[in-house]
Amino acid sequence: MNAKIIESRLRVFLLLLASALCLGTIAELWLTEHIKTPTQFLPFFLCGVGLAVVLAMLIRPRRETIFALRIVMGIIALFSLFGVYEHVEGNWKFALEIQSAAPSLEIFWSAIKGANPLLAPGILALTAMIAVAATYYHPALGNRND
């Protein structure tokens, strides 16, 4: 088996993995009832757009599709950071309500370890990195000297 076939299969695997992560994240968000505020619908939307661009990449891997995927995944990664902030902020507010007289460091640790998981939004960033990795030196970019 030559290197081009292996590389192509690895790209497809990475894109299928990114698709599975988008679908799995949607399922997990739904099962955990992540639908109480308008902001909580944002990851559903991001996963949907991410899934669409990954599928477009699988169906039609062209230069334009690669750039669209990279842009969308960059946006998704940024919103992943926003999600981490939202989770910490929610935990912080809850900790302040429960322990209003506690020292700041104790409130901080409560916010980090709170009910809203700190790294859960990171799955979006991981998905974005995996999808972008599938475009590294993609033949459709025409930047190889084989």
Side-chain angles (χ1 to χ4, degrees):
M1 190 176 312
N2 71 27
K4 286 186 181 192
I5 292 172
I6 294 169
E7 185 179 303
S8 174
R9 288 181 180 176
L10 182 58
R11 286 183 200 289
V12 169
F13 170 77
L14 291 172
L15 291 169
L16 289 175
L17 179 59
S19 297
L21 286 169
C22 286
L23 290 171
T25 301
I26 290 170
E28 182 179 2
L29 290 167
W30 186 260
L31 291 171
T32 58
E33 298 178 2
H34 200 270
I35 53 175
K36 292 176 179 71
T37 66
T39 306
Q40 288 185 334
F41 283 99
L42 190 56
F44 286 99
F45 173 75
L46 293 170
C47 286
V49 172
L51 182 60
V53 75
V54 167
L55 292 176
M57 183 68 190
L58 281 166
I59 294 167
R60 195 142 189 173
R62 298 185 325 189
R63 185 177 192 85
E64 297 81 15
T65 314
I66 292 170
F67 288 128
L69 180 131
R70 289 177 175 178
I71 290 167
V72 167
M73 292 302 164
I75 292 167
I76 288 173
L78 285 174
F79 274 100
S80 175
L81 294 174
F82 174 71
V84 170
Y85 168 78
E86 284 289 309
H87 279 209
V88 171
E89 181 189 35
N91 289 343
W92 183 276
K93 286 179 180 177
F94 183 74
L96 279 175
E97 269 183 39
I98 301 300
Q99 317 165 2
S100 58
S104 294
L105 188 59
E106 193 174 318
I107 299 290
F108 171 76
W109 284 115
S110 293
I112 297 296
K113 300 185 297 185
N116 297 325
L118 177 67
L119 297 179
I123 194 68
L124 295 175
L126 177 64
T127 302
M129 287 187 282
I130 289 170
V132 170
T135 69
Y136 183 71
Y137 274 98
H138 196 284
L141 294 173
N143 57 358
R144 279 202 139 154
N145 295 325
D146 290 329

PDB file of all heavy atoms in Angstrom, residues 54-71:
ATOM      1  N   VAL A  54     -17.821  19.454   7.558  1.00  0.00           N
ATOM      2  CA  VAL A  54     -17.029  18.220   7.505  1.00  0.00           C
ATOM      3  C   VAL A  54     -17.599  17.292   6.433  1.00  0.00           C
ATOM      4  O   VAL A  54     -16.845  16.691   5.656  1.00  0.00           O
ATOM      5  CB  VAL A  54     -16.978  17.523   8.882  1.00  0.00           C
ATOM      6  CG1 VAL A  54     -16.444  16.115   8.771  1.00  0.00           C
ATOM      7  CG2 VAL A  54     -16.116  18.325   9.843  1.00  0.00           C
ATOM      8  N   LEU A  55     -18.919  17.171   6.369  1.00  0.00           N
ATOM      9  CA  LEU A  55     -19.536  16.342   5.334  1.00  0.00           C
ATOM     10  C   LEU A  55     -19.250  16.902   3.935  1.00  0.00           C
ATOM     11  O   LEU A  55     -18.995  16.143   3.002  1.00  0.00           O
ATOM     12  CB  LEU A  55     -21.039  16.214   5.577  1.00  0.00           C
ATOM     13  CG  LEU A  55     -21.430  15.403   6.812  1.00  0.00           C
ATOM     14  CD1 LEU A  55     -22.949  15.427   7.010  1.00  0.00           C
ATOM     15  CD2 LEU A  55     -20.905  13.990   6.747  1.00  0.00           C
ATOM     16  N   ALA A  56     -19.271  18.218   3.810  1.00  0.00           N
ATOM     17  CA  ALA A  56     -18.931  18.843   2.526  1.00  0.00           C
ATOM     18  C   ALA A  56     -17.498  18.497   2.139  1.00  0.00           C
ATOM     19  O   ALA A  56     -17.213  18.222   0.968  1.00  0.00           O
ATOM     20  CB  ALA A  56     -19.109  20.352   2.603  1.00  0.00           C
ATOM     21  N   MET A  57     -16.621  18.472   3.119  1.00  0.00           N
ATOM     22  CA  MET A  57     -15.223  18.120   2.871  1.00  0.00           C
ATOM     23  C   MET A  57     -15.087  16.657   2.445  1.00  0.00           C
ATOM     24  O   MET A  57     -14.285  16.333   1.577  1.00  0.00           O
ATOM     25  CB  MET A  57     -14.417  18.408   4.140  1.00  0.00           C
ATOM     26  CG  MET A  57     -12.958  18.157   4.018  1.00  0.00           C
ATOM     27  SD  MET A  57     -12.172  19.321   2.918  1.00  0.00           S
ATOM     28  CE  MET A  57     -10.585  18.531   2.795  1.00  0.00           C
ATOM     29  N   LEU A  58     -15.880  15.788   3.053  1.00  0.00           N
ATOM     30  CA  LEU A  58     -15.841  14.371   2.672  1.00  0.00           C
ATOM     31  C   LEU A  58     -16.380  14.158   1.258  1.00  0.00           C
ATOM     32  O   LEU A  58     -15.853  13.350   0.491  1.00  0.00           O
ATOM     33  CB  LEU A  58     -16.665  13.534   3.658  1.00  0.00           C
ATOM     34  CG  LEU A  58     -15.997  13.200   4.976  1.00  0.00           C
ATOM     35  CD1 LEU A  58     -17.010  12.680   5.982  1.00  0.00           C
ATOM     36  CD2 LEU A  58     -14.879  12.191   4.771  1.00  0.00           C
ATOM     37  N   ILE A  59     -17.419  14.909   0.919  1.00  0.00           N
ATOM     38  CA  ILE A  59     -18.069  14.738  -0.386  1.00  0.00           C
ATOM     39  C   ILE A  59     -17.300  15.432  -1.501  1.00  0.00           C
ATOM     40  O   ILE A  59     -17.137  14.886  -2.590  1.00  0.00           O
ATOM     41  CB  ILE A  59     -19.519  15.264  -0.325  1.00  0.00           C
ATOM     42  CG1 ILE A  59     -20.331  14.386   0.625  1.00  0.00           C
ATOM     43  CG2 ILE A  59     -20.153  15.315  -1.706  1.00  0.00           C
ATOM     44  CD1 ILE A  59     -21.675  14.975   1.007  1.00  0.00           C
ATOM     45  N   ARG A  60     -16.831  16.632  -1.228  1.00  0.00           N
ATOM     46  CA  ARG A  60     -16.188  17.429  -2.268  1.00  0.00           C
ATOM     47  C   ARG A  60     -14.940  18.126  -1.725  1.00  0.00           C
ATOM     48  O   ARG A  60     -14.986  19.317  -1.397  1.00  0.00           O
ATOM     49  CB  ARG A  60     -17.188  18.463  -2.765  1.00  0.00           C
ATOM     50  CG  ARG A  60     -16.758  19.078  -4.037  1.00  0.00           C
ATOM     51  CD  ARG A  60     -17.920  19.285  -4.910  1.00  0.00           C
ATOM     52  NE  ARG A  60     -17.393  19.672  -6.199  1.00  0.00           N
ATOM     53  CZ  ARG A  60     -18.105  19.804  -7.244  1.00  0.00           C
ATOM     54  NH1 ARG A  60     -19.380  19.580  -7.175  1.00  0.00           N
ATOM     55  NH2 ARG A  60     -17.574  20.162  -8.372  1.00  0.00           N
ATOM     56  N   PRO A  61     -13.839  17.408  -1.622  1.00  0.00           N
ATOM     57  CA  PRO A  61     -12.614  18.002  -1.070  1.00  0.00           C
ATOM     58  C   PRO A  61     -11.906  18.908  -2.090  1.00  0.00           C
ATOM     59  O   PRO A  61     -11.097  18.451  -2.885  1.00  0.00           O
ATOM     60  CB  PRO A  61     -11.767  16.776  -0.716  1.00  0.00           C
ATOM     61  CG  PRO A  61     -12.229  15.708  -1.637  1.00  0.00           C
ATOM     62  CD  PRO A  61     -13.672  15.994  -1.920  1.00  0.00           C
ATOM     63  N   ARG A  62     -12.276  20.159  -2.051  1.00  0.00           N
ATOM     64  CA  ARG A  62     -11.657  21.150  -2.944  1.00  0.00           C
ATOM     65  C   ARG A  62     -11.003  22.234  -2.107  1.00  0.00           C
ATOM     66  O   ARG A  62     -11.238  22.345  -0.906  1.00  0.00           O
ATOM     67  CB  ARG A  62     -12.715  21.779  -3.855  1.00  0.00           C
ATOM     68  CG  ARG A  62     -13.393  20.795  -4.759  1.00  0.00           C
ATOM     69  CD  ARG A  62     -14.342  21.456  -5.711  1.00  0.00           C
ATOM     70  NE  ARG A  62     -15.003  22.599  -5.078  1.00  0.00           N
ATOM     71  CZ  ARG A  62     -15.990  23.256  -5.599  1.00  0.00           C
ATOM     72  NH1 ARG A  62     -16.479  22.910  -6.759  1.00  0.00           N
ATOM     73  NH2 ARG A  62     -16.536  24.275  -4.973  1.00  0.00           N
ATOM     74  N   ARG A  63     -10.234  23.060  -2.744  1.00  0.00           N
ATOM     75  CA  ARG A  63      -9.536  24.158  -2.064  1.00  0.00           C
ATOM     76  C   ARG A  63     -10.518  25.041  -1.279  1.00  0.00           C
ATOM     77  O   ARG A  63     -10.267  25.379  -0.129  1.00  0.00           O
ATOM     78  CB  ARG A  63      -8.777  24.972  -3.125  1.00  0.00           C
ATOM     79  CG  ARG A  63      -7.921  26.063  -2.597  1.00  0.00           C
ATOM     80  CD  ARG A  63      -7.170  26.733  -3.769  1.00  0.00           C
ATOM     81  NE  ARG A  63      -6.151  27.590  -3.295  1.00  0.00           N
ATOM     82  CZ  ARG A  63      -4.916  27.230  -2.971  1.00  0.00           C
ATOM     83  NH1 ARG A  63      -4.567  25.973  -3.074  1.00  0.00           N
ATOM     84  NH2 ARG A  63      -4.034  28.100  -2.532  1.00  0.00           N
ATOM     85  N   GLU A  64     -11.635  25.402  -1.897  1.00  0.00           N
ATOM     86  CA  GLU A  64     -12.620  26.270  -1.251  1.00  0.00           C
ATOM     87  C   GLU A  64     -13.232  25.595  -0.022  1.00  0.00           C
ATOM     88  O   GLU A  64     -13.473  26.230   0.997  1.00  0.00           O
ATOM     89  CB  GLU A  64     -13.730  26.651  -2.231  1.00  0.00           C
ATOM     90  CG  GLU A  64     -13.257  27.448  -3.425  1.00  0.00           C
ATOM     91  CD  GLU A  64     -12.639  26.601  -4.538  1.00  0.00           C
ATOM     92  OE1 GLU A  64     -12.813  25.357  -4.533  1.00  0.00           O
ATOM     93  OE2 GLU A  64     -11.976  27.184  -5.409  1.00  0.00           O
ATOM     94  N   THR A  65     -13.494  24.300  -0.145  1.00  0.00           N
ATOM     95  CA  THR A  65     -14.076  23.547   0.965  1.00  0.00           C
ATOM     96  C   THR A  65     -13.098  23.471   2.127  1.00  0.00           C
ATOM     97  O   THR A  65     -13.492  23.577   3.293  1.00  0.00           O
ATOM     98  CB  THR A  65     -14.458  22.122   0.505  1.00  0.00           C
ATOM     99  OG1 THR A  65     -15.144  22.191  -0.734  1.00  0.00           O
ATOM    100  CG2 THR A  65     -15.329  21.431   1.529  1.00  0.00           C
ATOM    101  N   ILE A  66     -11.829  23.289   1.810  1.00  0.00           N
ATOM    102  CA  ILE A  66     -10.792  23.227   2.853  1.00  0.00           C
ATOM    103  C   ILE A  66     -10.739  24.547   3.607  1.00  0.00           C
ATOM    104  O   ILE A  66     -10.709  24.568   4.842  1.00  0.00           O
ATOM    105  CB  ILE A  66      -9.417  22.878   2.246  1.00  0.00           C
ATOM    106  CG1 ILE A  66      -9.433  21.438   1.731  1.00  0.00           C
ATOM    107  CG2 ILE A  66      -8.305  23.089   3.259  1.00  0.00           C
ATOM    108  CD1 ILE A  66      -8.227  21.065   0.902  1.00  0.00           C
ATOM    109  N   PHE A  67     -10.743  25.651   2.882  1.00  0.00           N
ATOM    110  CA  PHE A  67     -10.691  26.951   3.544  1.00  0.00           C
ATOM    111  C   PHE A  67     -11.959  27.206   4.361  1.00  0.00           C
ATOM    112  O   PHE A  67     -11.894  27.753   5.461  1.00  0.00           O
ATOM    113  CB  PHE A  67     -10.431  28.074   2.543  1.00  0.00           C
ATOM    114  CG  PHE A  67      -9.023  28.082   2.014  1.00  0.00           C
ATOM    115  CD1 PHE A  67      -8.778  28.114   0.655  1.00  0.00           C
ATOM    116  CD2 PHE A  67      -7.933  28.029   2.873  1.00  0.00           C
ATOM    117  CE1 PHE A  67      -7.475  28.108   0.164  1.00  0.00           C
ATOM    118  CE2 PHE A  67      -6.641  28.027   2.403  1.00  0.00           C
ATOM    119  CZ  PHE A  67      -6.400  28.057   1.045  1.00  0.00           C
ATOM    120  N   ALA A  68     -13.108  26.803   3.839  1.00  0.00           N
ATOM    121  CA  ALA A  68     -14.357  26.955   4.593  1.00  0.00           C
ATOM    122  C   ALA A  68     -14.289  26.131   5.877  1.00  0.00           C
ATOM    123  O   ALA A  68     -14.667  26.614   6.951  1.00  0.00           O
ATOM    124  CB  ALA A  68     -15.538  26.521   3.738  1.00  0.00           C
ATOM    125  N   LEU A  69     -13.801  24.902   5.788  1.00  0.00           N
ATOM    126  CA  LEU A  69     -13.682  24.049   6.964  1.00  0.00           C
ATOM    127  C   LEU A  69     -12.759  24.687   7.995  1.00  0.00           C
ATOM    128  O   LEU A  69     -13.086  24.736   9.186  1.00  0.00           O
ATOM    129  CB  LEU A  69     -13.153  22.663   6.579  1.00  0.00           C
ATOM    130  CG  LEU A  69     -13.004  21.706   7.746  1.00  0.00           C
ATOM    131  CD1 LEU A  69     -13.636  20.369   7.428  1.00  0.00           C
ATOM    132  CD2 LEU A  69     -11.554  21.511   8.109  1.00  0.00           C
ATOM    133  N   ARG A  70     -11.642  25.191   7.550  1.00  0.00           N
ATOM    134  CA  ARG A  70     -10.686  25.808   8.484  1.00  0.00           C
ATOM    135  C   ARG A  70     -11.276  27.033   9.166  1.00  0.00           C
ATOM    136  O   ARG A  70     -11.078  27.237  10.368  1.00  0.00           O
ATOM    137  CB  ARG A  70      -9.394  26.170   7.751  1.00  0.00           C
ATOM    138  CG  ARG A  70      -8.570  24.959   7.371  1.00  0.00           C
ATOM    139  CD  ARG A  70      -7.342  25.348   6.590  1.00  0.00           C
ATOM    140  NE  ARG A  70      -6.500  24.190   6.325  1.00  0.00           N
ATOM    141  CZ  ARG A  70      -5.373  24.254   5.622  1.00  0.00           C
ATOM    142  NH1 ARG A  70      -4.959  25.419   5.132  1.00  0.00           N
ATOM    143  NH2 ARG A  70      -4.665  23.162   5.418  1.00  0.00           N
ATOM    144  N   ILE A  71     -12.003  27.846   8.431  1.00  0.00           N
ATOM    145  CA  ILE A  71     -12.616  29.042   9.021  1.00  0.00           C
ATOM    146  C   ILE A  71     -13.692  28.648  10.036  1.00  0.00           C
ATOM    147  O   ILE A  71     -13.710  29.154  11.163  1.00  0.00           O
ATOM    148  CB  ILE A  71     -13.193  29.959   7.917  1.00  0.00           C
ATOM    149  CG1 ILE A  71     -12.050  30.603   7.123  1.00  0.00           C
ATOM    150  CG2 ILE A  71     -14.114  31.021   8.503  1.00  0.00           C
ATOM    151  CD1 ILE A  71     -12.487  31.271   5.831  1.00  0.00           C
TER     152      ILE A  71
END
